[in-house]
Amino acid sequence: MIMKRILMLVSLGALLYQTSCTSKHEEEKEEPVNYLVTSPLQKDTTIIKEYVSQIRAISHIELRALERGYLQKIYVDEGQMVKKGQLMFQIMPLVYQAEQQKAQAEANFAEIEFKNTKALADSNVVSKNELALAKAKFDKAKAELGLAQTHLGFTEIRAPFSGIMDHFQVRLGSLVDEGDLLTTLSDNSEMWVYFNVPEAEYLDYKTNQDNGDLLKVKLKMANEKLFDYTGAVKTIEADFNNETGNIAFRATFPNPKGLLRHGETGNVLVTVPLKNALLIPQKATFEVLEKKYCYVLDKDNKIQSREITVAAELPHIFAISHGLQKDDKILLEGLRQVRENEKISYKFQKPDSVISNLSLYAE
């Protein structure tokens, strides 16, 4: 029995010794971690800024009745392309035709009376005053005839320009009053696209504008596809909106295929150059209370968190405007494994190599 206990103690001691040796061996094998570190890459690049936009036809007007009457004929259809001068609506013209005929008869009578008076005046039978009176009556009759013809012309509604019809506001046979809306007409050959620009970006644009060159822009439509044609900013409104701090830009886009329609929305894409931008990978940053930070190594290789300001966002990359210098060393990986003021060992990777492995959109 004693012998058995001795054997058990010897075995336990051997086990403890083996475990101790194993732990010691593993501790000897453990090496310090080398974190990957890089620096910002200073480089000229471009970014694409998006602005929500409203798309408007270059001409978009309301067609209204110019005279009162029954809508006798409709010569066009909703959504139809019409040509300038094409007859679109006919308001019952009978009353105006009668007025024109009456005015025509009165003008004819006044003309005959004037000619007779002139012949008598030439023979000194009547005075010059009577001739002048006859001439005045004739002129008045001609003016009334012209007015009657104008009113008769108002019963025909013709297209003032080539464009696309909108839906009808009245139906055939409706009694319309002067000024009633019939439909709207849009000239979509060119489109005006409005978007709002903040004051700081407006100042940058005006400062960098060369010799009055127009700013070229692209349009991303509601289906997330790019419009085939490039637009140009030709107009900037006069005043800023004091509530938003924005000013409206207007870009003009050609629309030869008629794809764009009045009232659409989209996003205007503006290419903005960045000179000597400091670029860092997005994965080297973290966010606290909606502010962005990165870890920077001090001269003693200790980790310090630093707030940064992002000037622009590219795919996988941030362009930094404040918070970093070109020669700063930033922690690239292992952000969740380090603590503030912790001294680390690191391996430095060149910034151009780091950025080249990301999907950089830069020039």
Side-chain angles (χ1 to χ4, degrees):
M1 189 69 174
I2 295 173
M3 197 66 182
K4 188 174 181 181
R5 288 182 178 178
I6 292 173
L7 288 174
M8 288 178 65
L9 290 172
V10 170
S11 299
L12 181 59
L15 181 60
L16 291 173
Y17 176 79
Q18 184 178 0
T19 302
S20 174
C21 290
T22 302
S23 286
K24 187 175 181 180
H25 184 62
E26 287 178 354
E27 288 177 3
E28 289 176 354
K29 288 178 100 180
E30 199 174 305
E31 296 179 359
V33 177
N34 280 329
Y35 291 94
L36 196 59
V37 169
T38 189
S39 291
L41 175 65
Q42 192 168 44
K43 187 181 182 75
D44 290 345
T45 187
T46 58
I47 60 172
I48 304 295
K49 289 191 174 182
E50 293 194 21
Y51 302 90
V52 176
S53 63
Q54 299 290 328
I55 301 172
R56 298 288 182 261
I58 193 171
S59 292
H60 180 77
I61 64 167
E62 296 176 339
L63 293 178
R64 295 182 177 273
L66 298 175
E67 295 290 352
R68 187 175 189 275
Y70 287 97
L71 187 60
Q72 188 175 31
K73 289 184 180 179
I74 298 177
Y75 297 95
V76 291
D77 198 1
E78 296 175 335
Q80 178 183 338
M81 182 72 185
V82 296
K83 299 294 185 182
K84 180 178 180 179
Q86 182 177 341
L87 183 60
M88 303 172 68
F89 300 96
Q90 175 75 66
I91 296 174
M92 186 175 290
L94 296 180
V95 173
Y96 303 103
Q97 286 174 348
E99 289 181 352
Q100 182 196 22
Q101 291 169 0
K102 177 184 176 183
Q104 183 69 63
E106 290 177 351
N108 292 340
F109 177 78
E111 182 181 11
I112 295 172
E113 188 176 23
F114 168 69
K115 289 179 179 179
N116 290 337
T117 305
K118 187 176 185 304
L120 293 173
D122 291 342
S123 302
N124 294 321
V125 175
V126 297
S127 66
K128 291 183 178 180
N129 287 338
E130 289 187 41
L131 178 62
L133 182 60
K135 177 68 166 58
K137 288 181 179 179
F138 180 39
D139 290 340
K140 179 183 178 183
K142 287 194 296 183
E144 290 178 347
L145 174 60
L147 182 60
Q149 289 173 337
T150 299
H151 281 289
L152 179 61
F154 285 167
T155 63
E156 293 182 346
I157 310 298
R158 297 181 179 272
F161 53 79
S162 298
I164 300 176
M165 292 276 302
D166 198 1
H167 63 275
F168 297 144
Q169 300 293 332
V170 293
R171 294 293 182 265
L172 190 65
S174 301
L175 176 62
V176 294
D177 284 320
E178 180 181 344
D180 281 356
L181 179 62
L182 304 177
T183 187
T184 56
L185 183 65
S186 298
D187 178 4
N188 290 353
S189 58
E190 287 186 326
M191 305 301 290
W192 284 344
V193 180
Y194 294 86
F195 59 101
N196 293 321
V197 175
E199 184 176 354
E201 295 176 20
Y202 159 80
L203 293 173
D204 289 341
Y205 164 68
K206 295 298 288 185
T207 302
N208 298 326
Q209 191 177 21
D210 296 328
N211 301 321
D213 291 340
L214 298 177
L215 176 64
K216 304 295 183 181
V217 296
K218 300 291 287 183
L219 176 64
K220 184 165 70 173
M221 298 178 292
N223 61 357
E224 298 296 320
K225 294 183 179 179
L226 285 180
F227 185 54
D228 291 339
Y229 301 91
T230 299
V233 175
K234 296 183 178 180
T235 300
I236 302 175
E237 288 192 0
D239 300 327
F240 277 87
N241 186 321
N242 291 332
E243 295 181 358
T244 64
N246 294 335
I247 192 169
F249 281 40
R250 190 189 77 195
T252 302
F253 284 82
N255 190 33
K257 299 179 182 178
L259 177 62
L260 300 180
R261 296 291 182 98
H262 180 86
E264 284 188 75
T265 60
N267 286 347
V268 169
L269 308 182
V270 180
T271 301
V272 179
L274 290 180
K275 299 294 184 181
N276 296 321
L278 290 179
L279 307 178
I280 66 171
Q282 291 188 18
K283 67 179 182 179
T285 67
F286 60 95
E287 191 169 320
V288 178
L289 298 177
E290 299 183 353
K291 293 183 179 180
K292 289 198 178 334
Y293 296 83
C294 66
Y295 282 124
V296 180
L297 268 69
D298 63 13
K299 61 182 181 179
D300 297 324
N301 295 339
K302 290 184 178 180
I303 290 291
Q304 304 287 339
S305 61
R306 186 181 297 176
E307 183 181 351
I308 57 175
T309 302
V310 176
E313 183 175 347
L314 293 79
H316 310 295
I317 293 170
F318 286 136
I320 306 302
S321 59
H322 296 93
L324 290 177
Q325 301 294 327
K326 179 182 177 181
D327 297 327
D328 285 335
K329 293 183 175 64
I330 60 173
L331 186 63
L332 185 61
E333 295 177 350
L335 276 68
R336 296 180 179 276
Q337 301 172 12
V338 297
R339 298 185 304 275
E340 188 80 10
N341 296 318
E342 179 183 354
K343 187 173 183 178
I344 65 168
S345 299
Y346 67 88
K347 178 181 178 183
F348 184 81
Q349 187 172 352
K350 292 182 178 180
D352 54 351
S353 175
V354 173
I355 296 299
S356 65
N357 291 326
L358 303 171
S359 299
L360 176 62
Y361 179 75
E363 295 179 357

